[in-house]
Amino acid sequence: MRYVCYVMSCDTTSLTMRQLRGRTLRFLKIACFLLFMVFIIWYTVSALKKKVTPLYASGVVEQRVGDLQYDFSTGIFVYNSGKSTYLQGIVSETLRSTFTVACKSDQNKATSMCLHWLRYAKLEISKTDNCHHVKWTPTSRDFIPHDCFSLRSAHWYGGAELYHQTWPLETTDVPMQPYLSNDILFRSNTEKNSGKNMFGNIVDRFWINSNGVGIVVNSEVPLFVSINESKSNLLCFSADYTNSPYPNPDSKTPVLEYTVCKEDSISKIHKLLQKKYFHMPLGLPDKSLMQGVVWSTWGRFNPNLTQSLLLAHAKNVSDKISPYKLQANFIEIDDKYSTRFGDFNFDESAFRNSHQMVSYLKEYKFDVIVSMTPFVSVESKAFKTKAADLLVSDIQAHSPSLMKWYSGLMGVIDVTRQTTVTWYKEQLANMVKDYGIKSFNFHGCETNFLPKIHKTFRSLANPGTFATEFISMVSPNAGSLTQVSCGYRSQQYPVYTKSPRKESHWSHTNGLRSVIPSILTLGILGYQFVVPDIIGGTTYGVNGTLALTKPEPELYIRWMQLSAFMPVMKFAFTPWDYDKDVVDIFNNLIKLRKEKILPLLLQGMREAEMTGAPIIRPIWWSSPKDEHALLVDSEFLVGDSILVAPILKKGAKERDIYLPEGDWHDQIHDQHEQGKQWLRAHKVKLTEVAYFTRTHILG
């Protein structure tokens, strides 16, 4: 019995030993497999390490291509040439100290760079000659591209017209907003946030500074811009489709794409950008608008203008102006004169015989200009019969999309549809033929008048190109008197570009002080044939309605003195609405304009056509390194020959004047002055305007 038990005990022990050996073998097999997998992973990572390298590995936190250097620990980027830094900025806060990898190992860091933030975006940079091309492409819908440039250490110009217009740009404050054109006064009079600075009727996507830097943003970018917001000293760009006026039917991520170029001076960078990014004028507009005077009905009669009022006004002006023997005179009917917007006619209830009225105006030696818009009233004949074929529609293209104008609900013509373009041009031609109209003053083509929700026949990725398409449609061949109130990449068209409507006060906030910065900005942007707003500005009531009252005499005089040197003089209230002293000042200014100023303006037109140079120039134009000249916002040059320094402050009889490099002759005091100096407390009577002629042209 004991033997049997012993045998059974031995068998049990043997079984247990075999089980332990089996488990050990399985464990060893698993361990070997895991070690093998670890080896494979290590080998793969080692093999790929040269292709994808974390930029923070081994303490690497900087990357450079050409003049551009990034510090990824802070998000700061710097453009420098040698030891000189010419531009600084900062990337989106989301990316600062965030893990990033190089897209590929074989990139030429001297001319290109590609980086990838795996959760956010890809950055591509290429360098060509003296320009760096930057492109941010989001890889996540949570990321909004956002780059800012420091406004310090340089003075900035260009971009757009502004409601609070200053010169240079770093002295303004513009909150982040869509970079699209606006009718400034319409928005300020109809919106609750009327005190907010906003971009005006002319918008272009390039900026230049006194370090010789130029920045151009791609037209397809859904661009938002801020300038020195909350005194940040930053010019910021953002690309965003969220709650944005930029259409995005394909649900794309917003790409921010721009180019930074560098030249030796601000004048050279302006020439470079002009050559690379916008077109030279294809011809000249009709010079007679410069040679004469425009007499507008805006702010004087509307909405009460009638045929009898207009003819009486025109007869009075004709009698007064005939002794001056001007080469041209224009009556501009800038009010609601048609039955409805979209009806190309004269309202018979106010103009009982419009054909006869135009004939009388011609007898009084006036050519007739009428205002025109891209609007079609819902009560017009055109809307009732052709709306579906003419107007921008809702998203489903089922019905016209509408916007609210002073006179009620309006549709907006679809300038991307050829049948609409043909119809609109036919209506204009019929007005010229039927009524004897000379030309048109177009307004209402700013982007803010497009309905918030709309669709065009041909999609416009950038709604700002509506202005380009509109101007292309209404621009005839060279030699036109056409005026337009909007502009975007439309420098090549031979039309006159109007500055925004100004208000009848002295300040930078759309008053007299804003006129010179406004005209200078248009010139920098390539719009040389400019029409300043009516002399004295427009008077408005507290609720934004037209007050129909004439400007105060002193403001009117100082505004008239400034305008005498501008390409076009436009009046609503006439000098004869004031006393004899005002009329005498007008007499002297017209004589001065005919004898000395007009020849320079006409010469400037020809130069603008050939070289793109502004007719009205900043005083740094021939002295681009002069720090004083770069800051002056209350003087300007007519060509290179005349410097004008008008009085722009109420009650002032003297002012400080800066003369840039050159030899100058003071036309008030008949004395010679050397350039590169301030004339302090320079005496200027109410009857005078300070101007200086250059005694020799700088080479």
Side-chain angles (χ1 to χ4, degrees), residues 125-383:
I125 300 172
S126 60
K127 183 180 185 297
T128 305
D129 298 326
N130 50 353
C131 295
H132 294 74
H133 183 75
V134 180
K135 182 178 181 181
W136 287 99
T137 305
T139 54
S140 165
R141 297 195 178 278
D142 297 328
F143 178 72
I144 302 299
H146 186 92
D147 278 7
C148 293
F149 301 88
S150 174
L151 294 171
R152 293 189 173 97
S153 74
H155 305 301
W156 291 78
Y157 312 89
E161 293 264 19
L162 295 170
Y163 185 54
H164 303 286
Q165 189 78 59
T166 63
W167 178 276
L169 276 176
E170 67 266 17
T171 57
T172 193
D173 183 342
V174 185
M176 184 65 75
Q177 60 190 275
Y179 196 64
L180 297 168
S181 61
N182 296 282
D183 182 320
I184 290 174
L185 280 186
F186 178 80
R187 287 197 61 189
S188 65
N189 289 333
T190 58
E191 296 183 6
K192 294 181 179 179
N193 59 346
S194 58
K196 182 180 76 172
N197 202 358
M198 68 184 79
F199 300 113
N201 58 324
I202 310 296
V203 169
D204 262 273
R205 295 185 171 197
F206 71 89
W207 294 260
I208 58 177
N209 77 18
S210 55
N211 286 340
V213 174
I215 304 177
V216 181
V217 180
N218 187 285
S219 184
E220 303 297 307
V221 172
L223 183 62
F224 286 66
V225 174
S226 67
I227 306 173
N228 194 28
E229 183 172 11
S230 302
K231 307 304 179 184
S232 64
N233 288 302
L234 294 173
L235 167 64
C236 294
F237 302 147
S238 183
D240 195 359
Y241 286 118
T242 308
N243 298 320
S244 165
Y246 297 97
N248 189 22
D250 300 325
S251 299
K252 299 181 294 186
T253 56
V255 173
L256 178 59
E257 191 171 4
Y258 60 86
T259 301
V260 177
C261 297
K262 177 70 171 72
E263 275 288 358
D264 294 336
S265 68
I266 188 171
S267 55
K268 288 183 178 180
I269 192 62
H270 181 265
K271 290 178 182 178
L272 175 68
L273 296 190
Q274 184 179 59
K275 181 179 180 180
K276 290 173 73 75
Y277 294 107
F278 60 87
H279 300 289
M280 302 288 284
L282 297 176
L284 296 177
D286 191 329
K287 62 184 179 182
S288 64
L289 200 68
M290 286 188 177
Q291 295 170 320
V293 174
V294 180
W295 307 92
S296 175
T297 62
W298 174 260
R300 183 185 181 99
F301 295 111
N302 47 325
N304 305 312
L305 183 64
T306 63
Q307 179 171 321
S308 58
L309 281 174
L310 180 59
L311 288 175
H313 174 61
K315 181 65 167 64
N316 180 57
V317 173
S318 177
D319 291 343
K320 302 291 187 182
I321 201 68
S322 59
Y324 298 91
K325 295 182 172 22
L326 298 174
Q327 290 184 260
N329 267 299
F330 302 91
I331 282 286
E332 186 175 85
I333 305 174
D334 195 359
D335 302 271
K336 182 188 173 300
Y337 58 86
S338 58
T339 309
R340 298 283 187 274
F341 283 94
D343 291 334
F344 293 74
N345 62 6
F346 283 88
D347 186 352
E348 293 183 358
S349 66
F351 304 92
R352 60 185 183 276
N353 191 335
S354 50
H355 295 86
Q356 183 186 62
M357 176 187 72
V358 174
S359 296
Y360 278 135
L361 292 173
K362 290 182 177 181
E363 286 183 18
Y364 299 154
K365 308 299 182 184
F366 290 108
D367 285 323
V368 180
I369 299 172
V370 297
S371 63
M372 192 63 64
T373 73
F375 306 148
V376 177
S377 169
V378 295
E379 299 177 357
S380 68
K381 180 180 177 181
F383 188 92

Side-chain angles (χ1 to χ4, degrees), residues 352 452 455:
R352 60 185 183 276
K452 290 185 177 180
K455 181 180 181 180

